[in-house]
Amino acid sequence: MLNQLTDSLNFNATALTLRSERQRLIASNIANADTPGYTARDFNFSDALSQATGRTSSAQTPLGGGARLKMTASQGGHMGLNGVSGQAAGARPELNYASAAQTNLDNNTVDMDRERASFADNTVRYEATLRFINGQVRTLNTAITGQ
Amino acid sequence: MSMFKIFNVSGSAVSAQTQRLNVVASNLANADTVAGPDRQAYKARHVVFSTTPMGEVGTAGVNVSQITEDNSPGRRVHDPKHPQADAEGYVTYSNVNAVEEMVNMISASRSYQNNVEVMNTAKTLLNKTLQMGQGG
């Protein structure tokens, strides 16, 4: 009974954690907008969420070009695609590298317009997730107090 | 909470941009400096940014890895009456390019503003997260 009460809260908590991860990632990109050689990074939120909550996402990515092939990590020292250890990679969202929208001499691939837009988008969605959680807490409170 | 790292990341960027702005200010201030008796005029300086990883993957701050001196020759003006003129009557000014410095300044100020805004947004979000479940 109690775990049914908190199941949907867990889902939103995972989403909130991933949103804050993405927020941090975009903040790093904006911070490094002037650093030579920096490559902007980001991750696919819906893939990361379905991976974190254990739901399959093959039907949810019609634009993603199909499922990505994973590299096998048969030994502890094997690296994943992101440079992190292959066997630990499942716990974190898979980070992708952004390619430059316009080529420039210092090999920096941060597109400030894109990053600002992603940042604003992620902010709004973070607040939305917070509201969902608040709404659920209110619902639970109403159910508990019976008023 | 991973969002607290945003303050470290954006803070490092803000301080790096401040340093860049400082260098621009000293370049502009010395734009018309004349070479002294040692024939060495002020040389323009430039900051070099580099990425510093801050803990987790994808969390990257900025720091100023070095400050380089511009070794291009200074501006030489023919002015025999100038007290610092050399034997041929030329005065050597610093090699600061004022237009370049102004552009650098605008770019630094925009980057600074961007990072401050990122920190403000993160602060708002964290405040709202702290009020989670209080019926707000």
Side-chain angles (χ1 to χ4, degrees):
Chain A
M1 172 64 192
L2 263 179
N3 63 349
Q4 279 174 358
L5 273 177
T6 54
D7 257 358
S8 56
L9 270 178
N10 279 345
F11 177 78
N12 279 325
T14 314
L16 199 71
T17 314
L18 282 172
R19 283 281 169 219
S20 72
E21 290 257 329
R22 182 149 189 253
Q23 196 82 354
R24 202 194 63 220
L25 215 62
I26 299 171
S28 299
N29 290 345
I30 293 178
N32 281 285
D34 294 326
T35 313
Y38 179 82
T39 312
R41 310 192 76 177
D42 204 348
F43 62 84
N44 184 329
F45 183 82
S46 70
D47 280 0
L49 185 60
S50 48
Q51 194 190 337
T53 53
R55 300 178 192 193
T56 52
S57 69
S58 51
Q60 290 175 356
T61 51
L63 299 172
R68 280 184 62 181
L69 289 175
K70 288 225 164 56
M71 288 171 88
T72 311
S74 52
Q75 287 186 11
H78 281 176
M79 304 283 272
L81 282 173
N82 310 310
V84 291
S85 172
Q87 287 172 339
R92 315 205 126 267
E94 223 173 313
L95 301 184
N96 299 321
Y97 292 98
S99 54
Q102 294 170 5
T103 52
N104 45 13
L105 281 175
D106 65 356
N107 284 330
N108 186 305
T109 69
V110 178
D111 177 0
M112 197 42 112
D113 301 328
R114 187 183 59 207
E115 299 301 339
R116 288 286 301 260
S118 305
F119 193 79
D121 172 77
N122 204 54
T123 307
V124 173
R125 285 169 198 267
Y126 185 95
E127 288 193 35
T129 312
L130 266 181
R131 272 191 202 199
F132 294 150
I133 294 177
N134 280 336
Q136 276 172 5
V137 170
R138 228 180 1 252
T139 310
L140 287 178
N141 265 336
T142 313
I144 291 167
T145 54
Q147 287 167 357
Chain B
M1 197 68 194
S2 56
M3 255 205 319
F4 282 111
K5 278 264 165 38
I6 289 183
F7 295 109
N8 297 353
V9 169
S10 295
S12 73
V14 162
S15 90
Q17 299 293 348
T18 311
Q19 209 163 331
R20 181 178 172 196
L21 215 52
N22 253 329
V23 169
V24 169
S26 70
N27 284 349
L28 278 178
N30 284 289
D32 286 327
T33 312
V34 180
D38 58 348
R39 300 263 162 260
Q40 288 292 309
Y42 175 86
K43 283 178 179 161
R45 293 181 172 97
H46 300 290
V47 291
V48 180
F49 287 165
S50 71
T51 308
T52 36
M54 291 187 160
E56 294 149 81
V57 181
T59 313
V62 193
N63 75 335
V64 177
S65 60
Q66 56 172 323
I67 295 179
T68 56
E69 275 192 351
D70 188 349
N71 279 319
S72 59
R75 194 157 44 92
R76 278 164 67 79
V77 177
H78 186 70
D79 185 5
K81 285 190 206 125
H82 197 284
Q84 307 281 15
D86 60 9
E88 293 135 38
Y90 278 97
V91 184
T92 311
Y93 287 87
S94 71
N95 61 355
V96 174
N97 183 342
V99 177
E100 205 176 282
E101 298 303 330
M102 291 302 282
V103 172
N104 220 340
M105 184 186 79
I106 294 168
S107 170
S109 126
R110 288 280 176 274
S111 297
Y112 191 102
Q113 286 171 12
N114 272 332
N115 282 295
V116 169
E117 208 173 297
V118 166
M119 277 195 278
N120 269 333
T121 310
K123 195 187 98 184
T124 313
L125 285 184
L126 282 171
N127 267 335
K128 286 191 175 161
T129 313
L130 281 176
Q131 289 159 12
M132 187 199 289
Q134 293 181 352

